[in-house]
């Protein structure tokens, strides 16, 4: 028998509240604008201890959930990253949200002590074509990756 979460517990979200799932899981396809943020934890590969890795992931996920809107869908993506889908969000709002997120991670005391920062790739596309937006946001991080930065993905029409 599980217990129900209280209001205060609902504010203590973390890694277990960020589901890992495939975005092409057969759910309904909606063709409306969406911004996609790919969040990569800088230097995560060099963290050796599993317990420390889990703590960093948990803290970064908490910052993401606390910083972004409740309507934004947050998913784990790989070992050191997250994918955020922001429905009906124009590029300027997504870039501002990404910069707030980057700044909040940088200034969270426990993460700052550990030197943890994030790079955020931002791509605008359609909810019906999320895999392409995700690939563009990931490419933005990999191609122009500088730690602790927000990087705008190239527009596919460019």
């Amino acid at each position: 028998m599980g217990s129900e979460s209280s209001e205060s517990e609902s504010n203590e979200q973390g890694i277990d509240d960020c589901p890992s799932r495939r975005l092409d899981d057969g759910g309904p396809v909606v063709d409306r604008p969406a911004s996609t943020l790919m969040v990569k934890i800088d230097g995560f590969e060099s963290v050796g201890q599993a317990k420390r890795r889990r703590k960093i992931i948990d803290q970064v996920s908490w910052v993401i959930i606390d910083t972004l809107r409740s309507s934004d869908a947050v998913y784990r993506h790989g070992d050191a990253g997250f994918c955020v889908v922001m429905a009906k969000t124009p590029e300027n709002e997504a870039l501002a949200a990404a910069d707030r997120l980057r700044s909040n991670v940088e200034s969270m005391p426990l993460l700052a002590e550990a030197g943890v920062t994030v790079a955020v790739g931002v791509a605008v596309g359609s909810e019906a074509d999320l895999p392409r937006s995700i690939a563009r946001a990931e490419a933005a991080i990999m191609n122009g990756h500088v730690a602790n930065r927000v990087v705008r993905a190239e527009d596919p029409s460019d």
Side-chain angles (χ1 to χ4, degrees):
M1 234 176 151
S3 63
E4 292 184 14
S5 295
S6 70
E7 175 94 18
S8 63
E9 288 173 339
S10 68
N11 293 330
E12 298 294 322
Q13 297 175 336
I15 189 172
D16 296 324
D17 297 306
C18 292
S20 260
R21 80 172 182 109
R22 293 178 52 201
L23 292 174
D24 61 348
D25 66 355
V29 175
V30 180
D31 191 16
R32 61 182 175 202
S35 290
T36 303
L37 309 182
M38 294 304 297
V39 182
K40 180 184 177 295
I41 301 172
D42 298 318
F44 190 75
E45 302 80 22
S46 65
V47 178
Q49 298 175 334
K51 186 176 182 179
R52 186 160 183 244
R53 284 174 156 245
R54 168 120 178 140
K55 189 171 186 173
I56 290 170
I57 290 284
D58 191 46
Q59 290 172 356
V60 170
S61 69
W62 181 85
V63 173
I64 292 169
I65 290 168
D66 191 58
T67 301
L68 301 177
R69 306 172 301 195
S70 61
S71 60
D72 297 331
V74 180
Y75 303 98
R76 283 290 309 279
H77 188 80
D79 288 339
F82 296 87
C83 174
V84 181
V85 178
M86 305 174 78
K88 301 179 185 176
T89 305
E91 184 177 69
N92 63 331
E93 289 179 26
L95 288 166
D99 196 51
R100 256 189 337 272
L101 170 61
R102 182 209 53 78
S103 177
N104 288 349
V105 168
E106 178 184 43
S107 63
M108 183 177 185
L110 294 173
L111 293 172
E113 282 177 22
V116 174
T117 59
V118 294
V120 185
V122 180
V124 178
S126 166
E127 283 186 40
D129 195 13
L130 285 176
R132 186 172 172 159
S133 291
I134 290 168
R136 289 178 41 240
E138 282 182 313
I141 292 174
M142 296 306 156
N143 295 339
H145 185 247
V146 177
N148 197 27
R149 294 286 184 260
V150 172
V151 184
R152 178 188 172 273
E154 291 183 20
D155 189 323
S157 61
D158 287 348

